[in-house]
Amino acid sequence: MSTSAHWDAIYASKSDGELGWYEADLTYSLRYLGQVGLGAGDRALVVGVGRSKIIDHLLATGAQVTVNDLSPVAIGRLKDAYRGQVNLDYVCGDIAEPLPPSVMAMDLWFDRAVLHFLTDEARIQAYFVNCSRAVKPGGHALFCEFSRTGAERCAGLPVHRYDRSELESRLPGFTVMACDFSDFITPSGAKRPYINCLFRKNID
């Protein structure tokens, strides 16, 4: 089964409340996004969006929002849910592959629980190259990923766990604005330790 097919099967068979990474309460993510200060005319990219409610918050700021997911099923459902929303664009594909020109000069790159699914070093490097190119100087990148003490697998797949030093080393030209740890409680009640890091791309 391809990676795309793997995620299609999950999104086709599970409700939001059955997804292990689904955030019913966005308080923690919004705390970080509040430091970014998005407004009308700004551009935000949500990587691996799935069925996240974060879209509604970002649209409410007046920003132009682009959502990405590897799963055509997930993207299709979002298109149905947000039909007619002019401030929302869709990019269906692998975030570690070359990005289309439309995904450039972003004010925000937001990744919650996607990066850690990349376990091949070449693909991890390609991901960070894409992030660095897509975020404009002065823009931000927010990562919420499994920490070093987190689970070794998720959704039936192995994961690559992170700490602050590794995230910093993979983003030269960015400065850490905030970084801490949190325990996300999944809809099934399991505890998942996360690392949350907000970066700002240097202007000089």
Side-chain angles (χ1 to χ4, degrees):
M1 181 180 288
S2 71
T3 305
S4 177
H6 177 87
W7 293 111
D8 275 346
I10 289 175
Y11 283 117
S13 63
K14 294 181 180 293
S15 67
D16 290 351
E18 294 174 311
L19 299 172
W21 54 91
Y22 183 73
E23 279 187 301
D25 180 359
L26 297 173
T27 301
Y28 211 86
S29 293
L30 295 182
R31 189 183 82 178
Y32 279 94
L33 291 175
Q35 298 181 51
V36 176
L38 286 178
D42 289 337
R43 304 181 68 227
L45 172 65
V46 184
V47 175
V49 64
R51 296 202 291 265
S52 174
K53 297 194 304 182
I54 203 69
I55 296 173
D56 297 320
H57 167 78
L58 294 174
L59 289 172
T61 69
Q64 183 70 34
V65 181
T66 299
V67 293
N68 154 265
D69 205 281
L70 185 62
S71 166
V73 170
I75 290 293
R77 290 187 176 179
L78 288 178
K79 287 182 176 180
D80 289 340
Y82 290 92
R83 193 178 304 276
Q85 173 55 255
V86 297
N87 286 343
L88 188 60
D89 299 314
Y90 305 88
V91 175
C92 186
D94 188 337
I95 198 62
E97 295 294 326
L99 299 177
S102 61
V103 188
M104 293 293 155
M106 289 289 166
D107 294 279
L108 172 68
W109 172 293
F110 178 41
D111 178 333
R112 184 184 177 279
V114 175
L115 171 60
H116 57 232
F117 284 110
L118 302 181
T119 56
D120 177 78
E121 179 60 25
R123 297 188 71 232
I124 294 172
Q125 291 182 17
Y127 171 101
F128 281 104
V129 167
N130 283 346
C131 178
S132 184
R133 289 175 176 171
V135 177
K136 71 181 187 182
H140 293 80
L142 174 58
F143 303 94
C144 305
E145 316 296 338
F146 279 14
S147 72
R148 294 289 190 198
T149 61
E152 296 181 354
R153 298 181 67 86
C154 182
L157 299 172
V159 298
H160 180 109
R161 298 172 296 175
Y162 284 87
D163 57 21
R164 173 173 173 163
S165 63
E166 180 174 358
L167 287 170
E168 283 188 281
S169 70
R170 292 186 180 276
L171 275 176
F174 285 71
T175 299
V176 175
M177 306 301 293
C179 190
D180 67 4
F181 298 90
S182 62
D183 287 329
F184 172 69
I185 306 301
T186 71
S188 66
K191 184 170 71 173
R192 294 287 183 264
Y194 272 70
I195 182 171
N196 312 282
C197 279
L198 176 66
F199 289 81
R200 183 173 183 269
K201 188 173 184 179
N202 300 335
I203 295 176
D204 296 325

